[in-house]
Amino acid sequence: MAEMLEVSGITKRFGGLVAVNNVSFSVREKEILSVIGPNGAGKSTLFKLISSFLRPTTGEVRLKGERISGLAPHIAARRGVVRTFQETTIFKNMSVRDNVIIAHHLRSKASLFGFFLGTGTAKADEAAFGQSADEILALLGLSSLAHEIARNLPHGHLRALGIAIGLATNPSILLLDEPFAGMNHDETMRMVEMVRRLRERGLTILLVEHDMPAVMKISDRLVVLNFGQKIAEGTPSEIQANDKVIEAYLGSEDEAIGL
Amino acid sequence: MTLNRNTRIAAVVAFLAIVFIAVPAVISLSGRFDLYYTLTSVALLSIASAGVWLTFYIGRINIGQGAYALTGGYVSAILVMNHGWSFWLTLPAAGLFCAAASVLIGLPILRLRGVYFAMVTLVLTEVARLLALALPITNGAKGIVSIPLPGALSVFGITLIPDFATLQNSRLAFYLLAVTLMVVCFAIMYRLVNSRIGKLCQSLQQNEELASSIGVNIAYLRVIAYAVSSFFGGVSGAIFAAISQSIYPSSFTVTDSVNFMLNCFLGGLGYVFGPMLGTLVLYFGWDLLFQTGRFQLLIYSGLMIVLMLVLPNGLLSLAETTRKKG
Ligand SMILES: Nc1ncnc2c1ncn2[C@@H]1O[C@H](COP(=O)(O)OP(=O)(O)O)[C@@H](O)[C@H]1O
Ligand SMILES: [Mg+2]
């Protein structure tokens, strides 16, 4: 399998605090790789660095050999790296379908002025976006809610909508920050299935998640962070047997890493 | 608003008939020619307010439109007086000058949000006034006066618009000019908001972080919206200067900037035509309260507060609730 994303020696300081400390790893094509670690370990910060929401203090991230860190979020998105947010992040006053349609922005062939004039290209774009949005909503089981205003959705569906928005950008690698947070067991299992299906469609997925049983079930490999440093990397069974990891989760280790 | 196509066309036709036929007819029958001036002002102020509304639409509270109206007025006046330009050319020039200035100003300040952006724009109006006082070209506190009325506008020898100075009724001419521009301005706004651009603006208003994560160049879109907004401000100021044939540093002040914003609030931030209705109601409301003498400001402010409490989504939200019930 080819290397898709390469994180090399990336560090992020906030004043005196080193949130991410010299972390390196790579993600292969069509892989599901999870980043785990205790609260405050630097997982969300790592995601923000990869998606260019933050500028690294040192180090860089490359996608298929091309540097994508230290740019701007919309440029990283254009290159194919798209992140969903830890907080439920949607356009809350738009309909569910409009949320997904607007997220097709990167695929538009018409210019802003073209959309203003309503040119043929603009109309073709609109039609294509609508159709693709309907497909994505069906894939995520949101079809029946297409015309709801997004803020009225129950929590589990909001998460799904967040992912639908990410998918609409047609990324080559999707970064999901705690997609199962706040979900009950059934919802989580449904979402795990969903993420697998996305991978079968050719997507590479990078995941931050606390729900250990789900993570162990879904991931090909894991990277473990503690206090900003990478302390382990490997398959679920390797990680479950790793002493450093068990130590990092000390106190609730058995339950936390699903031994 | 989602009226069906026929209703929409009927509404537009009715509106055009009212402003272009019914109003002039009623005014000439009743002999209340002063109403032309009032309605012209409403039309021009609603253009400036439409600009403010657009900045609201991308999630920014803009209390600085007075700065662009003032700038537009001066650009037109200076080009006419010092450089002999035709008024008709100065109109787009004033708009473009303001748009260009707003790009330079907007690039740094549009990163600010909420009350921070609002405060900076408020200061902007004051800066514009002080600049007009200080710069040699604007002639200080004396302002620029005796600006000639707009001349004829001819294209390829065909006179499209006659010289305003030769007209018996230049007030009607200014009214028609202002109303025409208002119609064009709101047609542009309607199209903007109902095209994909409107959705993009809403995405900025609702969540800038998410918008940029789906690939929207938020800085660019913000600047574009602000430039269009300032263009409208500049054009409206330029016509004001032409009507009053003068422009002073105090022609547009912080009060005007605040009023532009209030017009939007009153009409409804969710409705393209909100600023038009808001301007009309506020302008006439203020005039009607003139009878109450020294209580005018008190009653006016009180009513504004009550309206905002009762109708937080503006007057046009009334129409929507009625339709939903019906
Ligand atoms: N913008 C910021 N400014 C200062 N400190 C921050 C910022 N963002 C995160 N941090 C700090 O960096 C550390 C890592 O945070 P985060 O990446 O959110 O952890 P995780 O997602 O693993 O829980 C925490 O100590 C957090 O307080
Ligand atoms: Mg986090």
Side-chain angles (χ1 to χ4, degrees):
Chain A
M1 270 192 279
E3 303 279 326
M4 183 85 178
L5 188 85
E6 219 176 318
V7 178
S8 28
I10 209 158
T11 297
K12 180 69 191 179
R13 287 175 198 279
F14 294 113
L17 178 90
V18 189
V20 174
N21 192 354
N22 195 21
V23 170
S24 304
F25 63 93
S26 54
V27 189
R28 300 168 194 151
E29 206 173 331
K30 293 190 198 173
E31 184 172 40
I32 299 181
L33 185 135
S34 295
V35 179
I36 62 170
N39 254 327
K43 306 178 297 292
S44 292
T45 305
L46 178 66
F47 267 27
K48 287 177 194 163
L49 291 168
I50 296 175
S51 54
S52 267
F53 269 81
L54 288 175
R55 196 174 275 278
T57 312
T58 56
E60 61 173 20
V61 182
R62 290 178 172 273
L63 178 78
K64 296 174 196 155
E66 216 182 346
R67 186 171 64 89
I68 48 146
S69 54
L71 306 172
H74 71 274
I75 296 174
R78 204 170 289 164
R79 305 246 170 107
V81 180
V82 171
R83 122 180 208 244
T84 69
F85 294 76
Q86 174 170 1
E87 317 76 42
T88 327
T89 303
I90 49 156
F91 300 118
K92 59 182 189 306
N93 294 326
M94 287 187 202
S95 75
V96 167
R97 189 167 184 267
D98 277 347
N99 263 274
V100 183
I101 287 182
I102 197 78
H104 282 75
H105 184 69
L106 285 172
R107 302 195 206 178
S108 39
K109 297 190 189 70
S111 64
L112 281 187
F113 199 57
F115 281 112
F116 179 75
L117 296 177
T119 57
T121 326
K123 285 191 179 126
D125 274 353
E126 301 276 10
F129 297 169
Q131 198 182 355
S132 157
D134 291 335
E135 282 168 26
I136 292 173
L137 290 176
L139 180 75
L140 290 172
L142 289 170
S143 296
S144 58
L145 298 167
H147 299 288
E148 277 297 324
I149 297 299
R151 64 169 180 272
N152 298 334
L153 292 193
H155 188 82
H157 288 307
L158 281 179
R159 290 271 158 186
L161 178 56
I163 295 175
I165 291 172
L167 279 183
T169 62
N170 204 14
S172 31
I173 178 160
L174 188 60
L175 278 56
L176 304 174
D177 199 346
E178 305 201 13
F180 312 137
M183 287 189 174
N184 64 31
H185 181 261
D186 286 350
E187 287 171 332
T188 305
M189 286 306 120
R190 225 177 301 136
M191 202 54 115
V192 165
E193 268 322 298
M194 175 61 46
V195 173
R196 286 211 172 121
R197 233 177 299 152
L198 295 182
R199 185 254 297 277
E200 278 155 28
R201 287 162 58 106
L203 218 59
T204 305
I205 291 164
L206 202 56
L207 194 79
V208 162
E209 190 44 63
H210 274 303
D211 183 331
M212 285 306 150
V215 166
M216 294 300 166
K217 196 169 154 154
I218 200 175
S219 313
D220 300 314
R221 285 188 309 133
L222 296 103
V223 165
V224 188
L225 294 188
N226 196 21
F227 295 116
Q229 276 176 317
K230 183 175 96 173
I231 56 170
E233 178 178 351
T235 62
S237 51
E238 285 166 7
I239 293 298
Q240 279 167 322
N242 187 306
D243 290 339
K244 277 195 198 160
V245 178
I246 295 170
E247 211 173 294
Y249 279 93
L250 203 69
S252 59
E253 77 250 35
D254 293 0
E255 204 190 341
I257 59 170
L259 290 173
Chain B
M1 283 198 256
T2 46
L3 303 175
N4 73 43
R5 193 181 167 79
N6 288 337
T7 331
R8 265 201 326 250
I9 293 174
V12 169
V13 169
F15 181 78
L16 293 178
I18 289 172
V19 297
F20 286 109
I21 300 169
V23 167
V26 168
I27 287 180
S28 71
L29 286 177
S30 67
R32 290 277 318 268
F33 290 104
D34 58 306
L35 276 179
Y36 275 135
Y37 181 76
T38 315
L39 288 172
T40 304
S41 300
V42 169
L44 295 178
L45 294 173
S46 77
I47 293 174
S49 304
V52 174
W53 186 90
L54 191 61
T55 25
F56 268 114
Y57 209 57
I58 59 163
R60 291 292 183 279
I61 302 167
N62 181 354
I63 328 181
Q65 186 72 318
Y68 294 104
L70 190 65
T71 309
Y74 272 107
V75 168
S76 170
I78 291 168
L79 288 176
V80 169
M81 298 292 281
N82 301 5
H83 303 275
W85 282 39
S86 151
F87 164 76
W88 302 106
L89 270 180
T90 71
L91 208 51
L96 290 174
F97 185 91
C98 289
S102 76
V103 169
L104 295 180
I105 296 169
L107 278 174
I109 71 168
L110 281 164
R111 291 164 198 237
L112 303 173
R113 297 186 197 187
V115 72
Y116 299 100
F117 181 81
M119 291 322 287
V120 173
T121 55
L122 190 64
V123 170
L124 214 54
T125 319
E126 196 53 15
V127 169
R129 189 181 71 85
L130 294 174
L131 274 179
L133 271 174
L135 291 177
I137 195 170
T138 50
N139 201 27
K142 291 196 288 289
I144 299 175
V145 293
S146 310
I147 304 170
L149 288 171
L153 174 65
S154 317
V155 179
F156 303 123
I158 304 162
T159 306
L160 295 179
I161 303 174
D163 189 337
F164 276 36
T166 67
L167 295 175
Q168 279 182 345
N169 190 353
S170 68
R171 279 193 276 198
L172 172 61
F174 272 120
Y175 169 78
L176 292 176
L177 168 65
V179 168
T180 306
L181 284 178
M182 177 181 80
V183 167
V184 171
C185 157
F186 278 89
I188 293 174
M189 293 282 292
Y190 182 84
R191 183 59 205 154
L192 271 179
V193 166
N194 286 285
S195 74
R196 194 177 160 78
I197 301 172
K199 282 270 149 42
L200 286 170
C201 292
Q202 277 184 314
S203 81
L204 288 195
Q205 184 197 70
Q206 293 176 28
N207 199 328
E208 287 191 356
E209 262 206 327
L210 181 59
S212 67
S213 88
I214 59 170
V216 179
N217 187 344
I218 56 175
Y220 173 74
L221 199 59
R222 281 192 304 229
V223 165
I224 299 262
Y226 191 52
V228 171
S229 159
S230 309
F231 183 92
F232 288 156
V235 166
S236 130
I239 306 177
F240 259 114
I243 294 178
S244 52
Q245 298 189 268
S246 62
I247 181 102
Y248 304 97
S250 58
S251 293
F252 291 96
T253 60
V254 169
T255 314
D256 295 291
S257 287
V258 171
N259 279 336
F260 292 138
M261 180 188 65
L262 289 180
N263 294 338
C264 299
F265 269 122
L266 185 66
L269 296 180
Y271 310 94
V272 189
F273 298 110
M276 197 196 290
L277 182 67
T279 310
L280 185 74
V281 172
L282 261 193
Y283 200 94
F284 275 93
W286 177 249
D287 269 7
L288 285 178
L289 288 177
F290 187 70
Q291 329 280 348
T292 62
R294 61 201 163 96
F295 296 112
Q296 186 181 17
L297 186 59
L298 189 66
I299 300 179
Y300 175 84
S301 319
L303 281 177
M304 278 305 285
I305 294 173
V306 171
L307 268 174
M308 284 189 190
L309 287 176
V310 179
L311 287 174
N313 296 322
L315 291 172
L316 279 173
S317 63
L318 272 178
E320 190 158 54
T321 4
T322 327
R323 205 170 53 242
K324 267 185 195 144
K325 277 183 197 148

